[in-house]
Amino acid sequence: MKNTPSDHRTQKQIDEPDLFKNEFKDIAPIKQDKIPPQRFCSKQNSGLTQKNKTDLTIMKQAAAAFEFSDGFEGHFDIDQPLKYVKPETDSHEVQRLRRGDYPPDLILDLHGFKKEEAKHEIAALIHVAQKKHIYCVSIMHGKGTYALKKSIPNWLIQHPAVMGFHQAPKEWGGQAALLVLIDLPLHHAKY
């Protein structure tokens, strides 16, 4: 009878797998959370249940505690794409927005909204993004009369949770939308 390499294993080599299994016998595998990211569009509330509509209203009211001022105007170069970087934010992050490296996890479509309504919707969007730990959101303002396109950047630079924004790449709305980076606590950041 021939000796095979497996016959030459020591007692230690035979016991190691059993010892390993024995150490971890009480450990249960973690179930993977497979919930897809939610798309938030305030104009499409028809599919919401009454409870969800109530929850959404409560979140909007809580978020509306932050008031944007119409008297504040930032300086934006009209010959450049619309962009802003908060002073303590890495400008590379906003460049990544421009390239489309961060797809938005929430999308707010403001087509047809009046300015006052749009302010509340944006405050609610930022509130929801922070609550759900979402780093990048999209605000679609459209082209229309340019009233929202001109006002939204001035509102966004006032909010302490806005790290920066950039005119969206073509696949996310181009000149009719902004991609916005939301400041999250470091241990919850997605990227």
Side-chain angles (χ1 to χ4, degrees), residues 16 22 43 66 75 78 93 138 157 169:
E16 280 183 9
N22 196 31
K43 298 272 292 194
F66 185 86
H75 173 72
I78 59 173
E93 290 296 293
S138 174
I157 61 177

Side-chain angles (χ1 to χ4, degrees), residues 76-128:
F76 300 101
D77 189 346
I78 59 173
D79 296 326
Q80 298 291 321
L82 192 54
K83 65 181 176 183
Y84 164 75
V85 181
K86 191 174 186 177
E88 58 271 11
T89 301
D90 181 6
S91 63
H92 181 69
E93 290 296 293
V94 175
Q95 291 171 356
R96 294 183 73 185
L97 278 179
R98 177 183 50 84
R99 291 192 309 254
D101 292 350
Y102 294 136
D105 289 318
L106 292 177
I107 298 171
L108 176 63
D109 185 358
L110 293 175
H111 287 92
F113 278 79
K114 292 180 172 47
K115 284 175 76 170
E116 287 305 311
E117 296 170 329
K119 281 183 193 181
H120 292 292
E121 292 294 323
I122 291 170
L125 174 72
I126 294 169
H127 176 76
V128 169

Side-chain angles (χ1 to χ4, degrees), residues 28-170:
I30 297 173
K31 284 190 174 185
Q32 176 66 33
D33 184 6
K34 297 182 180 177
I35 300 171
Q38 177 183 353
R39 300 289 180 188
F40 179 78
C41 182
S42 62
K43 298 272 292 194
Q44 298 175 348
N45 289 339
S46 59
L48 295 177
T49 65
Q50 186 59 39
K51 181 188 179 319
N52 289 343
K53 285 182 182 178
T54 304
D55 290 346
L56 188 61
T57 303
I58 290 169
M59 284 195 296
K60 285 181 182 179
Q61 289 170 347
F66 185 86
E67 289 292 328
F68 296 108
S69 169
D70 284 321
F72 182 81
E73 281 196 39
H75 173 72
F76 300 101
D77 189 346
I78 59 173
D79 296 326
Q80 298 291 321
L82 192 54
K83 65 181 176 183
Y84 164 75
V85 181
K86 191 174 186 177
E88 58 271 11
T89 301
D90 181 6
S91 63
H92 181 69
E93 290 296 293
V94 175
Q95 291 171 356
R96 294 183 73 185
L97 278 179
R98 177 183 50 84
R99 291 192 309 254
D101 292 350
Y102 294 136
D105 289 318
L106 292 177
I107 298 171
L108 176 63
D109 185 358
L110 293 175
H111 287 92
F113 278 79
K114 292 180 172 47
K115 284 175 76 170
E116 287 305 311
E117 296 170 329
K119 281 183 193 181
H120 292 292
E121 292 294 323
I122 291 170
L125 174 72
I126 294 169
H127 176 76
V128 169
Q130 286 192 300
K131 186 174 178 123
K132 295 187 177 207
H133 309 292
I134 293 174
Y135 190 59
C136 180
V137 298
S138 174
I139 300 175
M140 299 180 71
H141 48 71
K143 293 181 182 176
T145 63
Y146 292 100
L148 287 179
K149 183 175 182 172
K150 183 179 178 194
S151 297
I152 290 172
N154 292 316
W155 297 335
L156 289 174
I157 61 177
Q158 296 174 45
H159 202 291
V162 173
M163 296 170 52
F165 57 81
H166 201 287
Q167 177 180 307
K170 206 171 216 174

